[in-house]
Amino acid sequence: MTSTDDVTLGNHSDTREPAGSAIVMFDERGTVVAWTRAAEQLVGYTAGDVVGRSAALILPSSAGAPAISAFIEECRARHGWWGTTAVRHRDGRTLDVSLRISMVSGQDGSVRWLASVTDVGSLSGEAMTGSVRESLLTRAPIGIVVRDRQLRCTWVNDTTESHDGIRRERRLGRRLTEVWPGAKAEALEAVMEQVLRSGTTTVHEFRRWLPTGPRREHTFAGSFFCLQGADGQTLGVCTISVDVTETRRARERLAILSQAGARLGSSLDAMRTSQELADLAVPLLADYAAVDLEPSISFGEGPPAHFGPTGERPPAFRRAGLASIHQGIPESPWALGEPVPLPPASPFTDVLRTGSSHLQPVLDAAPGTWTDQEPALARTIHENGMHSLMVVPIRAQRTLLGMAVFIRTEDPVPFQEFDLLLAEELVTRAALALDNARQYAREQTAALALQRNLLPHRLRGGAAVEAASRYLPADAHSGVGGDWFDVIPLSGARVALVVGDVVGHGINAAATMGRLRTAVHTLAHMELPPDELLAHLDDTVQRLAEEDADAPDQPNAVVGATCLYAVYDPVTRRCTMARAGHPPPAIIDPQGRVTFPDLPTGSPLGIGLGVPFEAVELELPEGSLLALYTDGLIESRDHDIDQGMHRLGAALAQSDRPLEELCTRATESRPGQAPSDDVTLLLVRTRSLRPTQVASWTLPDDQRAVRTARHRAADQLAEWGLEGLVDSTQLIVSELVTNAVRHSTGPIVLRLIRHQVLTCEVFDADVGSPRVRRARAVDENGRGLFLVAQLSRRWGARWVSGGKVVWAEEDPTGTPTDAGVACAAH
């Protein structure tokens, strides 16, 4: 007995059957016994003109009765007839038609023929998509039932039984509600009665379970025609049903693929693409879908995985996409982003090993199956009614990107081969987007690694400053820009403070930034004053721009940069600074007063105006706060620079707070919209050396100076508790003072500075550049600076007003090197 719950009556089909479909019924002698309004509209004859007469009007042969009888015998032998022919319209026109003839049987074994006639010349593309019309024009099986005015079945064809499981003997002579009681049958009979009253054709879709074979829901499209007799009276209703399950599913698949083409790959975010794939699959293909990615896909780190033997430990995956028809997605034990373990000897490891998809129409989680390895997974399968499984690898050539899992829970129809084909097509399209995301992630990882390596890992302010920084790229996703900052230790406990901004964003700006940062380091260690350093840096930017312009493979040439360079001396608490088109620094004194010093602006680097840069020297109280920043911190689309500078000053006014907190306050004080430019902030709090950490003496300009310098240095080191450095320091002082006496005239000044290192400085009026020479064995001179280089950790010279300073640094906690001691002894 067929349950009434097995059928769902739908509304009128979205695909309307055109009025040109004509249904004609004739007997075994070829006499027309029933006509329809559609037939009248097609050929112009009324029911009264045709019923009771020969069917030669609509049959392929226009000859007499013998020819018609022969044609009917041919139809009986072939179980029907299908083809194209020509018919005459009542007005004399000839119509090209498609004709399909089907045999129906009655209660006493008699036979009738049902002809469907369609004007192929008037069919539009849209009309051809009609489910019933499409079937009538082809050899696709159709179910036919003819009922009288009381809706009793009088004629039926063999196909109908396969649609509803009701045998011919049980159906003939009975109403639908008698053989299939229930509300759904009553609804279908109501449709038939409406057709009988109106004389028109209507189309409905209904769903039901097939009575035989696997439990699978099918969708049928039914067309209901009103049959008329010779005088136009209503004889009954003819129902033609077509199994449109595959057609509907094909349309659904096409809809999914159409959406996939529009939605998949809309971004280079692997997680987003994975979620889009899961969302596309649910509910049209599966009730639950999960997408798991190999970790290198999202982060671009580590080598990609490949198909083949997985060994004892298969590659790790992370859940990247989830979708379910159930709220909260109870089917997934793992949330997005969590690692997903792969049970060994499971369909998942089989997919990794073979690279082929896995289809398991019936998912069995009974004891003794692969689910025994994961009790939690087996419990989840039982609790959520998971009964059918597909696992599809996501791959790009031999590279494994991940896998997609599709499961059915509420939909009782098991997955079949065509479902797997659709899943593979979806995954293939997603794989293209994910492979692009993988390559993009690798490039971004390389770019971010470049950015991390180009920017300072740790700010070393030494005894001069305490430093903190923030860098916020305009493109938070890529994280790469052209801003840079630096705190560079210099001789004499001084530090250089740098902030720069290369025009543009992205990897090219970052690469240019790295070149300029290297140039600044080189120039800073040459001990150039700020204005001269910017002049040399300007030449460097112009040269880089010319080189890039000459290179055909460098479309993004350097077009300019801005920079602020300052040198702070903790001995004198004086800060010398210059800028090249860069915003001025903010200076906050210990009382919280904020000033923006009036520094000459200077032209941006690389412009080539030839205007010299100017430096300004300021004396800063100990504990002053300096803020060096790029214009992204103070500029916005809706506010001018003055407002931004005022906002920055207000955020930094409480200068006694920790620097990291002040960095956060300053960067979070910007307007809420996304920044249009990179934001860089370098905060430093100045320190000063105590007078007891510095000792200075003016020496006579003669040979007495060397002996005086040695004694002064030894006494000072003893006072500082650095007796272990007395011998090496005396040798260094002797060589530096000797050179000063020999090559200069005027006063000589010796200064010792004790901070993280011990610095020995000798000032003289000579502006010549000291250099180490390689002395021959017979030479009596030329070994002084070589000896200094051996005894110190580093040494150098800088030019100051009135002359130069030659300096050398020693590690106060260490001892002279063996090479230095040996050299000194020699």
Side-chain angles (χ1 to χ4, degrees):
M1 194 70 171
T2 303
S3 169
T4 58
D5 295 333
D6 290 338
V7 174
T8 301
L9 179 64
N11 294 326
H12 285 281
S13 172
D14 291 336
T15 307
R16 308 278 183 178
E17 300 303 321
S21 296
I23 299 298
V24 180
M25 192 174 182
F26 55 91
D27 59 20
E28 291 184 279
R29 296 187 300 275
T31 302
V32 176
V33 295
W35 196 248
T36 61
R37 287 187 182 179
E40 180 181 348
Q41 293 172 358
L42 178 64
V43 296
Y45 294 99
T46 65
D49 298 329
V50 177
V51 174
R53 300 182 181 181
S54 172
L57 182 66
I58 59 171
L59 296 180
S61 174
S62 59
I68 294 177
S69 299
F71 177 75
I72 291 176
E73 289 302 320
E74 179 184 354
C75 291
R76 186 188 297 274
R78 295 171 53 182
H79 302 286
W81 191 92
W82 176 88
T84 58
T85 185
V87 297
R88 293 187 306 276
H89 193 274
R90 186 171 186 174
D91 61 10
R93 289 182 291 123
T94 300
L95 304 176
D96 293 324
V97 298
S98 174
L99 175 65
R100 176 168 180 166
I101 298 176
S102 304
M103 184 175 68
V104 292
S105 303
Q107 203 165 17
D108 55 358
S110 57
V111 172
R112 292 287 183 270
W113 300 96
L114 195 79
S116 168
V117 188
T118 305
D119 184 358
V120 296
S122 63
L123 284 177
S124 65
E126 180 180 359
M128 284 295 292
T129 64
S131 300
V132 177
R133 167 59 59 80
E134 197 173 319
S135 299
L136 293 176
L137 292 176
T138 65
R139 296 182 183 272
I142 58 175
I144 302 174
V145 178
V146 178
R147 300 181 182 276
D148 59 18
R149 295 181 61 178
Q150 286 72 43
L151 301 183
R152 294 186 296 263
C153 177
T154 55
W155 305 96
V156 65
N157 73 340
D158 295 336
T159 303
T160 303
E161 183 176 347
S162 65
H163 286 184
D164 56 19
I166 302 174
R167 297 189 307 276
R168 180 199 315 271
E169 297 78 9
R170 185 162 170 264
R171 185 194 310 271
L172 288 170
R174 295 184 175 88
R175 294 170 61 103
L176 179 62
T177 50
E178 293 175 335
V179 296
W180 179 35
K184 304 300 173 60
E186 294 174 0
L188 285 174
E189 285 194 347
V191 172
M192 299 178 200
E193 290 173 350
Q194 180 182 2
V195 169
L196 290 174
R197 289 193 301 269
S198 63
T200 58
T201 301
T202 186
V203 180
H204 279 268
E205 281 192 1
F206 56 92
R207 295 182 298 277
R208 60 164 295 128
W209 295 98
L210 287 184
T212 59
R215 293 285 292 172
R216 178 180 170 193
E217 188 180 51
H218 279 238
T219 301
F220 295 91
S223 291
F224 301 85
F225 301 86
C226 180
L227 298 177
Q228 296 178 329
D231 54 357
Q233 80 277 15
T234 299
L235 298 179
V237 61
C238 173
T239 302
I240 298 178
S241 61
V242 180
D243 188 343
V244 295
T245 304
E246 296 305 322
T247 302
R248 173 179 286 271
R249 293 192 176 186
R251 290 173 182 167
E252 290 175 348
R253 290 195 290 271
L254 290 174
I256 295 175
L257 294 178
S258 176
Q259 293 180 43
R263 293 172 56 182
L264 288 176
S266 59
S267 75
L268 291 172
D269 186 330
M271 297 291 284
R272 178 175 174 182
T273 300
S274 301
Q275 187 59 49
E276 289 172 346
L277 173 59
D279 290 338
L280 279 170
V282 176
L284 291 179
L285 176 63
D287 297 328
Y288 163 73
V291 180
D292 300 329
L293 294 184
E294 200 267 334
S296 67
I297 309 306
S298 298
F299 307 104
E301 298 179 352
H306 296 276
F307 294 103
T310 58
E312 295 182 1
R313 299 186 64 183
F317 285 85
R318 288 191 178 273
R319 187 127 292 177
L322 277 175
S324 171
I325 61 173
H326 299 114
Q327 189 173 4
I329 316 182
E331 300 94 335
S332 177
W334 303 283
L336 290 175
E338 291 186 348
V340 178
L342 298 182
S346 68
F348 309 104
T349 53
D350 288 344
V351 168
L352 298 184
R353 178 176 52 83
T354 64
S356 301
S357 301
H358 174 82
L359 171 62
Q360 191 170 349
V362 179
L363 177 58
D364 186 6
T369 62
W370 61 270
T371 57
D372 285 347
Q373 306 168 51
E374 294 288 338
L377 181 59
R379 185 167 53 254
T380 300
I381 292 173
H382 281 296
E383 291 176 351
N384 293 280
M386 301 180 181
H387 66 85
S388 194
L389 167 71
M390 292 189 298
V391 183
V392 180
I394 308 173
R395 57 189 174 187
Q397 299 180 355
R398 289 290 300 171
T399 301
L400 173 64
L401 306 181
M403 64 175 64
V405 180
F406 306 94
I407 289 178
R408 280 183 176 167
T409 56
E410 298 297 328
D411 185 348
V413 180
F415 285 123
Q416 300 181 46
E417 287 293 338
F418 63 81
D419 295 312
L420 182 61
L421 291 175
L422 174 59
E424 290 177 335
E425 180 65 25
L426 279 177
V427 170
T428 298
R429 299 193 181 198
L432 295 175
L434 289 172
D435 192 40
N436 290 336
R438 177 179 67 90
Q439 297 181 36
Y440 177 75
R442 296 180 69 86
E443 293 174 359
Q444 283 304 109
T445 299
L448 292 175
L450 171 65
Q451 182 89 2
R452 287 193 298 268
N453 291 328
L454 292 178
L455 291 177
H457 296 173
R458 183 169 59 91
L459 298 176
R460 296 183 300 155
V465 296
E466 175 193 0
S469 64
R470 282 290 187 280
Y471 171 66
L472 303 175
D475 184 356
H477 181 69
S478 66
V480 179
D483 287 9
W484 88 93
F485 58 91
D486 246 321
V487 177
I488 306 172
L490 302 177
S491 63
R494 300 168 307 132
V495 292
L497 310 174
V498 192
V499 167
D501 183 1
V502 174
V503 173
H505 307 284
I507 190 68
N508 291 318
T512 301
M513 174 270 287
R515 299 161 83 179
L516 295 187
R517 180 171 180 251
T518 301
V520 170
H521 266 263
T522 301
L523 296 171
H525 289 302
M526 292 174 62
E527 303 282 1
L528 296 178
D531 51 343
E532 293 185 28
L533 183 142
L534 290 181
H536 284 281
L537 192 61
D538 184 36
D539 293 338
T540 300
V541 175
Q542 293 184 56
R543 186 173 65 255
L544 291 176
E546 292 170 358
E547 292 174 358
D548 289 345
D550 293 339
D553 58 343
Q554 293 288 337
N556 298 314
V558 177
V559 294
T562 65
C563 184
L564 172 64
Y565 184 84
V567 175
Y568 173 70
D569 188 344
V571 176
T572 62
R573 290 187 287 105
R574 302 193 70 81
C575 184
T576 307
M577 57 186 72
R579 59 178 176 144
H582 204 83
I587 301 178
I588 301 93
D589 65 18
Q591 288 72 44
R593 292 186 292 267
V594 182
T595 59
F596 291 88
D598 186 16
L599 301 181
T601 303
S603 60
L605 302 172
I607 301 301
L609 298 180
V611 179
F613 298 97
E614 299 181 54
V616 172
E617 187 176 75
L618 304 172
E619 184 174 341
L620 303 177
E622 181 178 2
S624 296
L625 186 67
L626 270 71
L628 285 68
Y629 52 90
T630 55
D631 53 9
L633 183 62
I634 58 173
E635 287 183 344
S636 67
R637 298 183 181 91
D638 303 322
H639 301 85
D640 57 30
I641 293 180
D642 290 340
Q643 289 178 289
M645 295 172 69
H646 176 76
R647 186 174 60 249
L648 174 62
L652 301 176
Q654 294 178 304
S655 59
D656 57 338
R657 292 181 176 271
L659 293 185
E660 290 293 337
E661 179 183 339
L662 290 174
C663 282
T664 301
R665 288 166 58 93
T667 52
E668 290 182 350
S669 67
R670 295 177 300 115
Q673 71 268 21
S676 57
D677 197 2
D678 302 331
V679 172
T680 297
L681 173 64
L682 173 63
L683 286 184
V684 296
R685 181 175 287 120
T686 63
R687 298 165 174 160
S688 62
L689 297 183
R690 299 187 305 275
T692 56
Q693 292 178 271
V694 181
S696 178
W697 304 274
T698 301
L699 306 174
D701 183 18
D702 54 35
Q703 290 300 325
R704 296 175 301 165
V706 176
R707 177 178 295 181
T708 302
R710 290 170 59 89
H711 288 303
R712 300 291 190 192
D715 292 343
Q716 188 62 54
L717 291 181
E719 182 179 335
W720 283 340
L722 301 177
E723 290 85 353
L725 296 181
V726 169
D727 291 341
S728 59
T729 303
Q730 284 185 319
L731 287 171
I732 291 172
V733 168
S734 295
E735 297 300 332
L736 296 183
V737 174
T738 297
N739 285 342
V741 171
R742 181 175 299 166
H743 298 292
S744 70
T745 59
I748 299 173
V749 178
L750 169 65
R751 185 168 72 164
L752 299 181
I753 306 172
R754 180 189 179 188
H755 48 112
Q756 275 83 0
V757 296
L758 174 66
T759 302
C760 303
E761 295 183 343
V762 174
F763 166 83
D764 63 56
D766 180 48
V767 295
S769 176
R771 61 187 180 89
V772 177
R773 292 191 302 164
R774 180 173 295 277
R776 294 174 299 177
V778 297
D779 291 341
E780 296 182 2
N781 300 312
R783 298 181 178 86
L785 289 179
F786 177 73
L787 177 61
V788 170
Q790 294 298 313
L791 293 172
S792 60
R793 61 194 299 269
R794 65 174 189 151
W795 75 279
R798 67 178 184 269
W799 284 259
V800 295
S801 177
K804 71 175 183 299
V805 173
V806 183
W807 54 268
E809 293 178 351
E810 297 178 86
D811 186 352
T813 62
T815 57
T817 64
D818 293 339
V821 173
C823 181
H826 178 72

